[in-house]
Amino acid sequence: LQFTVSWSAQDALNGSGLAASPYDVQWKDGIGGTWQDWYIGTNLTSAIFSNVTNGHTYCFRMRSIDRAGNQQIYLTSLTGDHCTTVDTDKPNATINPLPEYEQTAAFEVSWSGNDGPAGSGIAGFDIEYKENNGPWVDGPQRYPGTVWTFTAQNDSQYCFRVAPRDRAGNLGDPTTPACTQVDTSPPLVHVAIP
């Protein structure tokens, strides 16, 4: 696993300009980790950070120096300039069962999602539905909630499935469909008199 880290700086408006190799970059594994030198005195403005571990949080900070020798100090926060959590695992979701019959055209479909203890968290869900045995049709995409009100156009069978998407962009597999039969019409009654 690997990802690209970028950095930049600029000198004050009337300053001497950045030195030829102005950047020092450090990294640490975890918020409580120890800062380690990565690039010292470099003119690079990006590099590939490799050999990372899924579920770990990596933090980065940098400082620069100008031609006059003025050096910025490293930031003093616990986390540094920027942190990112490596998340390559797909999230999962479970759709809640629907009743066998729905008597109203508008009804709620609900589900839950999980990105695991080391995941980046659920960002949203891609919803699909189909009428009878028709093709899957896109409903809302990247939907942030876990309840959606659907309005049926016909008295038909409707099936629903959702696919979770996490903050790292991983798309989980669609759920097993949940189906219901929409029946909004009362039975017709005929009375016969002999």
Side-chain angles (χ1 to χ4, degrees), residues 53-147:
T53 303
N54 189 41
H56 284 230
T57 298
Y58 296 94
C59 299
F60 299 87
R61 67 182 184 179
M62 61 79 83
R63 66 182 177 186
S64 61
I65 188 169
D66 67 15
R67 290 183 194 149
N70 299 308
Q71 188 169 50
Q72 173 188 24
I73 61 169
Y74 285 118
L75 294 179
T76 57
S77 71
L78 291 176
T79 58
D81 286 344
H82 295 283
C83 293
T84 188
T85 300
V86 176
D87 179 2
T88 60
D89 295 332
K90 294 191 296 186
N92 60 62
T94 303
I95 196 163
N96 295 322
L98 293 168
E100 185 177 1
Y101 294 98
E102 283 288 349
Q103 293 178 303
T104 61
F107 56 92
E108 290 184 344
V109 180
S110 63
W111 57 87
S112 61
N114 187 327
D115 197 27
S120 56
I122 298 290
F125 299 88
D126 294 352
I127 304 168
E128 293 180 312
Y129 66 93
K130 68 178 180 176
E131 183 177 355
N132 293 323
N133 291 320
W136 287 104
V137 176
D138 285 344
Q141 302 294 290
R142 290 175 162 69
Y143 187 77
T146 56
V147 177

Side-chain angles (χ1 to χ4, degrees), residues 8-23 42-43 63-72:
S8 65
Q10 64 183 34
D11 200 13
L13 182 60
N14 294 318
S16 60
L18 294 178
S21 296
Y23 302 112
T42 184
N43 62 355
R63 66 182 177 186
S64 61
I65 188 169
D66 67 15
R67 290 183 194 149
N70 299 308
Q71 188 169 50
Q72 173 188 24

Side-chain angles (χ1 to χ4, degrees), residues 149-166:
T149 300
F150 177 78
T151 302
Q153 300 301 310
N154 304 299
D155 278 5
S156 299
Q157 182 188 57
Y158 289 91
C159 293
F160 304 86
R161 65 184 184 184
V162 298
R165 187 178 299 270
D166 68 19

